[in-house]
Amino acid sequence: MTYLLNSVDWLLIWNIVYLTVLVLVCLRIIYDTGSTSKTLAYLLLAIYLAQEEVLITTPYFIPGEGILQALTVAALGGVKVKLLVPGISDSALVNAATWSYYDDMLLAGVEIYLYQKGFIHSKTMVIDGAVSMVGTANMDNRSFELNFEENAVIYDVTTSQQLREMFYQDLKYSDKINPEAWRERSHVKQFFEKLARLLSPLL
């Protein structure tokens, strides 16, 4: 007797294959960068698993290639990716290095918001309003590789929804970067940003 797989069986098989491939991709990216950070591994996996929305708040954003690739791939795949960072930073050099990453992200469809109500210290990520991360790690190499940082992964819809609501409340006090206007900034400013980016592994 021939057994035909029904739609539920195919869906289960597809999900297993999909998750396996994602895990392997994340492990490959981490291996290529030489990272041993569990925080980075969880961040990458969460972003790649996102189906609808990725909300990130961080005071410092100097991503490695893995995070940058994950966010741009998610945005290009139709996931709403929103990044909230300080509009006023405490370091001109860090600001310039951070800005150097915006062009590629904006081109991919990532929405970037600059918080205007003081300096923002929150370090959170919410995925699809169902899973969230809260901790001490910034989105930079120092947090992942050098500093003693810890993040908690929260598998709770209620908590994640609360963090999501807080994120959107903070957007009310933020300015959204206009991609066209951003590309028109001065060449001198862009040169300084590229120069600062060379120092980003040390920031």
Side-chain angles (χ1 to χ4, degrees), residues 13-144:
I13 292 172
W14 165 248
N15 284 335
I16 292 172
V17 172
Y18 178 67
L19 289 172
T20 302
V21 171
L22 280 179
V23 171
L24 291 175
V25 168
C26 292
L27 289 175
R28 179 65 190 184
I29 292 172
I30 293 168
Y31 175 79
D32 287 344
T33 59
S35 175
T36 57
S37 170
K38 291 181 180 179
T39 299
L40 177 59
Y42 285 129
L43 282 169
L44 287 173
L45 189 57
I47 294 169
Y48 278 118
L49 285 173
Q51 298 293 310
E52 299 177 3
E53 187 180 62
V54 176
L55 308 177
I56 296 173
T57 304
T58 181
Y60 300 104
F61 183 78
I62 305 180
E65 196 62 34
I67 291 292
L68 188 63
Q69 179 178 320
L71 292 175
T72 54
V73 167
L76 289 170
V79 176
K80 294 179 182 178
V81 181
K82 301 178 188 290
L83 173 67
L84 177 60
V85 293
I88 304 172
S89 180
D90 55 359
S91 170
L93 185 60
V94 170
N95 250 354
T98 298
W99 293 339
S100 72
Y101 293 95
Y102 288 173
D103 286 302
D104 292 338
M105 295 174 63
L106 290 169
L107 188 62
V110 176
E111 297 179 13
I112 303 174
Y113 297 83
L114 305 178
Y115 187 72
Q116 300 298 320
K117 196 178 177 181
F119 188 79
I120 193 163
H121 287 276
S122 301
K123 302 163 187 177
T124 65
M125 183 171 73
V126 183
I127 304 294
D128 296 339
V131 179
S132 52
M133 293 184 69
V134 180
T136 63
N138 296 302
M139 286 281 184
D140 59 23
N141 287 322
R142 291 189 65 87
S143 289
F144 297 142

